[in-house]
Amino acid sequence: MSDSKNSSLEIILFGYGTTGAKIYEMLSGNFSKITVLDKDEEHIKRAKEDGIVTSSLIDITDDSELEEQRLEGKILFCAMDDMALNIFLALSLRNITEESTILSISTSAENTRKLKFIGVNKVIDIYESSANRIVDIVTRPAVTRVMDEIIYADNGISIEEIEIPPNSFLEGKCIQEINFRDFGLILIGISDKELGEDFIFVSRGINHKFDEGDILVLLGETQALKDFYKKLTGNER
Amino acid sequence: MRRFFIRQLVAFAYLLESAPRYHRVKRFFNDLLNNDDFRYKKYFDLFMIFVILSSVSILVIDVHKHVAYWLDFYDLYIVTWIFIIEYILRLWVHSDMHKVIITHYEESEFFEKPFSFWKVFKQIAQEKWAYISSPAAIIDLIAILPSYREIRVLRVFVLFRAFKMLRYSRSLLQFFDILRSKKIELYTLFILLSFFTLVASIMIYVFEGNGNNPDIKNMYDAIYWALVTITTVGYGDITPVTTEGRAVAMLVILTGIGAISFLTSIIVSAFSEKLPEIKETRVMNQIAKKRELNLICGYGKIGQLVAKKFKEANRPFLVIESDRQKVEKAEMDGHDALFADATKSSTLLKLKLGKNVRSVICVTHDDIINVFITINARSLCKDVEIIARCSEKSVAKKLRLAGANHIILPEEIAGMLGSVYIGQPVAFEALQAIITQRRTARIDEVEVKLGSFFDGAKVGDFDFYANKLILLALLKRFEGSGKESHFVVFNPPDDTRLKVGDILVIMGYSVSIADFKARMEQSVRFKKQ
């Protein structure tokens, strides 16, 4: 299921400099529809050389050119090497489209603050995340190992969020009634739309009632996750 | 007779050489007296400082009124004997007499030459004399003298007892080290001052010593006046009265100001030159006490963040930077920082890489330097954890080859985070919240301790759910391997057996995790009884 979900997502990556190229590399592992835009001819040339057909040269400082790209409903990833340009781009994008998800990289706490103020959905501080990782390796080696296995390593263990479809077998049941371990899964938490976007960790011990539209965050082997998803959607009607 | 004596002497030397107890005792005293890293030296130093201070104060009080009899006794016998014993001990540990005898004996046997008493004695005497004639030893010896009350002048040597304190205080010694670095300048100044003083005193004597000035009766008075004036002290008990004398005084005063400011500038510049060194010694002293040290090589963007986070997590760390400005920045931020080149093996050895260091974190902005540091650290120590940052994939391979345990590619991490976020925003936020521990829910690791209720139990024996915890994974220890290595078992089935050294990775709220850890600790205590 995640394959179908990931293939339906359309991503526009702004910037194919040193940072952008690496981010493309990571993204292309999981997503297929990625468009690369840059205003630097050299960068686009290199993108073409790297085999990215969907790359094109536009002046990203020009709003009309941006609008031509039909940004609505897409995921916009700002990864320009020049931070000032990146912030300017994020601002233009937020201006043009209200709904799209905008991600941006950042290189300092100050830039992160600015980007968040603009309304970027997710700011990733390159250095901060690296520093976090280093500190985690040193202070909590076992946790880091486990997290790596979940997020980075390609060993079949992954974390997935699954939205409960209407009329599933979970409908109306409580957390305690379902033993996720029987499915080989661990339920980490639930995001309930009725209670706002807040994320509820299972370990809090609240006996939540499953509803259609709730998002379950599950951890387990890909096969187990797939089976569970089939069971969940198969019981429709 | 001579033969018999030689044989006895050699036999005694061999006896000493082969007696482990003798070596142990000698090493202990050597450590106590000379080894700064020895645990008990500190206490010995404090004791000696106390003895010196008490003895000096008794002597000072004694100048005016008589002190109690027992205090006099203490000063006269106990202190003196402590000093004498210390002096003899230092003389003893300075060199090994029996080794000299043995080498000479073996040499004479080998070359079939007669054993020469005179040579042996000469060499031993030379070695011991090297100690006796060292300034510290001379001060020690003179410090013993004031106990001899019959000669009052000897009391002056009380001062030497104060000097003796230098031996026990490293910072005071450092001061002299600094002055020593400016030996030539100070020597020149001293010669210059002596010359001016002499010239000035001769002149004043010539002008006023003939009776014009009743205060200057002889050359001694003249030198005294010249010195008091040239050092700008100017007591005024002797003043020039003639015009010529006053002219001399004016010249002396001008020279004096120059000389004194020269002296001040020498000392100040010596200090400012040595300041980094003093700081380094201070940092090294602090670091030496710490175990499990993390070395952050490079204080760039990542280095700064890592240092900050380590400080928050209360982990010991040291910043190593080869850029003076960045070192200053690290110091301003309140971190321990060392101005050094981490690519040099001497730097890492100085920090006792194999013993005190837990991890080396290479986060300079230059990939090549990071590779160098990695190679350097790995070649010196097999076990230390090395985390290295780089920006190119090709370099990452090299870093692996060089022996880095973890490789950080900042852009790759950012890309990975981005792709996780795009795919699963809710899960991502949840994970972020847990990882950054911003909310109260977090993931933690708990090791199965020897004798705890988990030791030998099964996973299913403990109801994690009822305790509001989730067991995410289990890190099982590889059987047989001596090194600490684990493999990860996700969502372990209930019948998984737990062993000592396994690590449970659990998720839950801080309170639940703290409670769980406490229970683990407690159960250990009960089993032991």
Side-chain angles (χ1 to χ4, degrees):
Chain A
M1 45 71 247
S2 61
D3 302 339
S4 61
K5 192 166 78 182
N6 285 356
S7 57
S8 67
L9 286 172
E10 281 183 60
I11 301 168
I12 301 179
L13 177 66
F14 294 90
Y16 200 75
T18 40
T19 320
K22 286 202 187 74
I23 285 172
Y24 178 82
E25 206 184 313
M26 293 322 304
L27 290 178
S28 61
N30 292 321
F31 308 98
S32 46
K33 288 186 190 164
I34 308 173
T35 314
V36 174
L37 299 176
D38 203 318
K39 67 173 219 159
D40 191 321
E41 230 166 302
E42 281 294 311
H43 291 169
I44 290 302
K45 213 176 118 195
R46 217 181 56 213
K48 296 271 192 224
E49 277 167 19
D50 290 348
I52 308 165
V53 197
T54 51
S55 55
S56 47
L57 187 72
I58 67 159
D59 183 8
I60 56 164
T61 49
D62 186 349
D63 279 8
S64 57
E65 278 195 46
L66 284 175
E67 275 168 49
E68 279 169 30
Q69 298 293 326
R70 279 174 287 123
L71 304 168
E72 268 74 28
K74 291 180 182 167
I75 287 159
L76 314 171
F77 204 137
C78 311
M80 309 290 296
D81 281 342
D82 181 357
M83 237 12 248
L85 203 58
N86 214 27
I87 294 173
F88 184 79
L89 172 68
L91 185 62
S92 318
L93 291 174
R94 190 37 75 209
N95 243 339
I96 296 165
T97 158
E98 290 279 306
E99 293 115 64
S100 324
T101 309
I102 302 176
L103 281 84
S104 175
I105 57 153
S106 159
T107 51
S108 67
E110 203 182 323
N111 288 333
T112 306
R113 195 175 48 79
K114 283 177 193 150
L115 286 162
K116 279 197 177 142
F117 173 74
I118 290 168
V120 173
N121 300 66
K122 184 71 207 166
V123 184
I124 298 165
D125 187 329
I126 296 181
Y127 299 115
E128 172 109 36
S129 46
S130 300
N132 275 336
R133 196 164 154 69
I134 291 171
V135 173
D136 279 341
I137 288 170
V138 172
T139 55
R140 299 183 299 166
V143 170
T144 313
R145 255 302 293 273
V146 169
M147 283 320 207
D148 280 1
E149 299 269 342
I150 296 170
I151 301 175
Y152 300 99
D154 192 17
N155 59 351
I157 297 282
S158 60
I159 190 160
E160 291 280 353
E161 49 187 78
I162 294 173
E163 195 177 326
I164 299 180
N167 308 319
S168 73
F169 74 97
L170 285 178
E171 188 80 57
K173 293 228 170 91
C174 291
I175 289 183
Q176 269 149 18
E177 286 175 58
I178 310 286
N179 190 358
F180 284 91
R181 282 175 73 90
D182 293 344
F183 300 100
L185 298 172
I186 297 173
L187 177 66
I188 305 233
I190 305 160
S191 176
D192 188 347
K193 285 204 175 128
E194 286 166 24
L195 296 172
E197 291 291 287
D198 236 18
F199 188 80
I200 307 162
F201 285 99
V202 176
S203 49
R204 200 150 134 201
I206 290 174
N207 202 0
H208 180 81
K209 208 176 211 176
F210 294 117
D211 267 323
E212 142 185 12
D214 287 358
I215 295 171
L216 305 176
V217 175
L218 289 161
L219 175 74
E221 284 178 29
T222 321
Q223 195 52 49
L225 283 164
K226 270 186 188 152
D227 292 345
F228 180 75
Y229 189 69
K230 248 180 227 154
K231 195 167 158 53
L232 203 61
T233 47
N235 280 18
E236 271 183 71
R237 262 170 293 135
Chain B
M1 181 65 202
R2 188 188 144 88
R3 264 234 151 119
F4 171 79
F5 196 65
I6 288 172
R7 207 179 302 148
Q8 288 298 313
L9 187 71
V10 171
F12 183 64
Y14 272 109
L15 180 75
L16 285 182
E17 179 63 26
S18 61
R21 191 158 171 181
Y22 171 77
H23 285 284
R24 230 179 14 243
V25 170
K26 191 158 186 173
R27 201 180 318 125
F28 170 78
F29 280 113
N30 192 27
D31 282 345
L32 193 66
L33 295 168
N34 298 322
N35 184 359
D36 281 335
D37 290 333
F38 189 58
R39 213 162 11 131
Y40 300 112
K41 182 175 188 285
K42 196 168 52 186
Y43 302 111
F44 175 74
D45 289 353
L46 280 176
F47 170 72
M48 288 307 286
I49 288 174
F50 168 76
V51 169
I52 291 165
L53 281 178
S54 61
S55 136
V56 170
S57 30
I58 288 170
L59 278 157
V60 168
I61 294 167
D62 199 38
V63 170
H64 222 65
K65 49 185 172 189
H66 271 284
V67 290
Y69 172 73
W70 65 271
L71 276 176
D72 223 22
F73 177 84
Y74 162 80
D75 183 45
L76 209 53
Y77 296 103
I78 298 179
V79 173
T80 308
W81 273 109
I82 289 172
F83 285 180
I84 290 172
I85 290 169
E86 192 211 359
Y87 188 80
I88 293 170
L89 279 176
R90 280 187 194 278
L91 192 61
W92 176 50
V93 299
H94 179 257
S95 64
D96 285 317
M97 276 197 267
H98 67 272
K99 277 197 181 137
V100 176
I101 298 171
I102 289 172
T103 20
H104 270 270
Y105 177 73
E106 280 173 355
E107 247 171 51
S108 68
E109 286 285 291
F110 188 76
F111 295 111
E112 291 180 347
K113 276 195 286 188
F115 184 83
S116 158
F117 261 128
W118 172 241
K119 260 189 183 167
V120 171
F121 178 75
K122 213 174 107 186
Q123 199 182 337
I124 290 172
Q126 260 172 8
E127 279 176 7
K128 295 293 181 195
W129 179 251
Y131 172 74
I132 294 171
S133 60
S134 68
I138 293 172
I139 290 176
D140 277 356
L141 189 66
I142 299 175
I144 298 172
L145 294 178
S147 333
Y148 192 68
R149 295 301 169 84
E150 275 65 40
I151 307 171
R152 238 192 121 71
V153 177
L154 285 180
R155 298 211 162 186
V156 174
F157 294 121
V158 163
L159 255 182
F160 283 87
R161 292 205 169 167
F163 278 144
K164 199 168 149 54
M165 273 203 280
L166 287 178
R167 213 193 242 292
Y168 311 104
S169 161
R170 222 181 294 172
S171 49
L172 277 172
L173 275 178
Q174 213 165 35
F175 180 77
F176 282 94
D177 268 347
I178 290 165
L179 289 189
R180 200 175 298 147
S181 72
K182 292 277 171 182
K183 208 158 64 182
I184 300 165
E185 288 89 334
L186 287 172
Y187 184 69
T188 317
L189 184 68
F190 177 75
I191 297 286
L192 206 68
L193 265 180
S194 316
F195 174 71
F196 279 134
T197 315
L198 192 70
V199 170
S201 56
I202 290 169
M203 283 167 85
I204 200 78
Y205 187 69
V206 166
F207 288 131
E208 302 198 347
N210 52 3
N212 288 348
N213 191 338
D215 289 330
I216 301 173
K217 292 182 209 70
N218 47 32
M219 196 57 199
Y220 178 75
D221 287 338
I223 291 173
Y224 169 75
W225 172 83
L227 197 63
V228 165
T229 312
I230 207 162
T231 53
T232 73
V233 174
Y235 289 127
D237 52 347
I238 301 174
T239 43
V241 286
T242 60
T243 321
E244 294 89 344
R246 287 196 173 146
V248 172
M250 284 190 279
L251 278 176
V252 171
I253 287 165
L254 285 178
T255 336
I257 290 172
I260 293 299
S261 45
F262 186 28
L263 179 70
T264 318
S265 75
I266 287 173
I267 293 174
V268 168
S269 75
F271 263 95
S272 60
E273 271 168 31
K274 289 270 174 163
L275 201 63
E277 221 168 283
I278 296 169
K279 266 191 204 160
E280 192 188 308
T281 328
R282 195 185 57 85
V283 168
M284 292 299 280
N285 283 341
Q286 276 177 353
I287 288 304
K289 289 176 209 146
K290 288 178 182 160
R291 298 275 174 273
E292 298 269 291
L293 187 69
N294 300 298
L295 300 179
I296 302 175
C297 309
Y299 199 64
K301 270 180 181 156
I302 296 181
Q304 287 173 25
L305 286 165
V306 171
K308 201 175 125 210
K309 282 166 205 285
F310 271 148
K311 192 162 215 182
E312 280 163 14
N314 226 348
R315 296 279 167 153
F317 66 91
L318 173 69
V319 176
I320 303 178
E321 188 35 267
S322 52
D323 180 344
R324 182 78 76 186
Q325 275 181 337
K326 284 184 182 165
V327 173
E328 270 165 30
K329 184 165 177 8
E331 278 164 358
M332 292 263 273
D333 293 344
H335 308 312
D336 285 335
L338 196 63
F339 173 69
D341 187 351
T343 55
K344 297 249 163 64
S345 48
S346 60
T347 307
L348 296 181
L349 285 176
K350 204 161 59 177
L351 293 161
K352 295 181 186 150
L353 184 71
K355 224 174 93 194
N356 290 353
V357 177
R358 186 192 182 285
S359 70
V360 178
I361 299 163
C362 319
V363 282
T364 67
H365 53 82
D366 190 338
D367 283 3
I368 296 166
I369 290 177
N370 288 337
V371 174
F372 267 130
I373 299 172
T374 307
I375 294 173
N376 186 18
R378 184 54 79 218
S379 65
L380 292 170
C381 179
K382 265 189 201 158
D383 303 324
V384 74
E385 185 167 42
I386 300 175
I387 304 169
R389 171 250 163 112
C390 68
S391 44
E392 290 296 331
K393 266 252 163 81
S394 56
V395 181
K397 254 186 219 159
K398 285 180 191 125
L399 278 170
R400 279 240 180 272
L401 270 176
N405 302 84
H406 302 274
I407 288 154
I408 304 288
L409 280 148
E411 285 86 5
E412 197 181 284
I413 290 174
M416 188 51 102
L417 287 176
S419 98
V420 174
Y421 177 78
I422 293 167
Q424 288 127 4
V426 178
F428 178 83
E429 291 293 348
L431 281 180
Q432 278 278 302
I434 302 166
I435 294 172
T436 55
Q437 306 188 340
R438 234 174 261 142
R439 295 194 210 175
T440 40
R442 61 198 200 106
I443 295 187
D444 214 329
E445 47 196 76
V446 183
E447 198 184 325
V448 176
K449 295 240 169 68
L450 183 74
S452 68
F453 62 84
F454 263 128
D455 185 10
K458 284 178 187 165
V459 169
D461 292 350
F462 185 80
D463 191 352
F464 284 94
Y465 192 83
N467 285 285
K468 299 196 169 59
L469 289 168
I470 297 174
L471 179 64
L472 287 184
L474 176 68
L475 269 70
K476 284 222 51 89
R477 225 166 67 172
F478 273 118
E479 298 289 338
S481 67
K483 267 180 85 184
E484 285 283 301
S485 55
H486 295 84
F487 62 96
V488 183
V489 183
F490 272 97
N491 202 3
D494 281 348
D495 57 351
T496 314
R497 213 162 260 295
L498 293 165
K499 289 216 178 79
V500 177
D502 290 352
I503 300 172
L504 301 161
V505 176
I506 51 175
M507 194 191 99
Y509 281 73
S510 318
V511 200
S512 325
I513 290 177
D515 179 56
F516 181 72
K517 279 184 170 172
R519 279 169 68 167
M520 178 79 91
E521 292 289 334
Q522 237 169 19
S523 70
V524 173
R525 214 177 306 143
F526 284 133
K527 277 257 173 101
K528 266 184 187 162
Q529 279 172 357

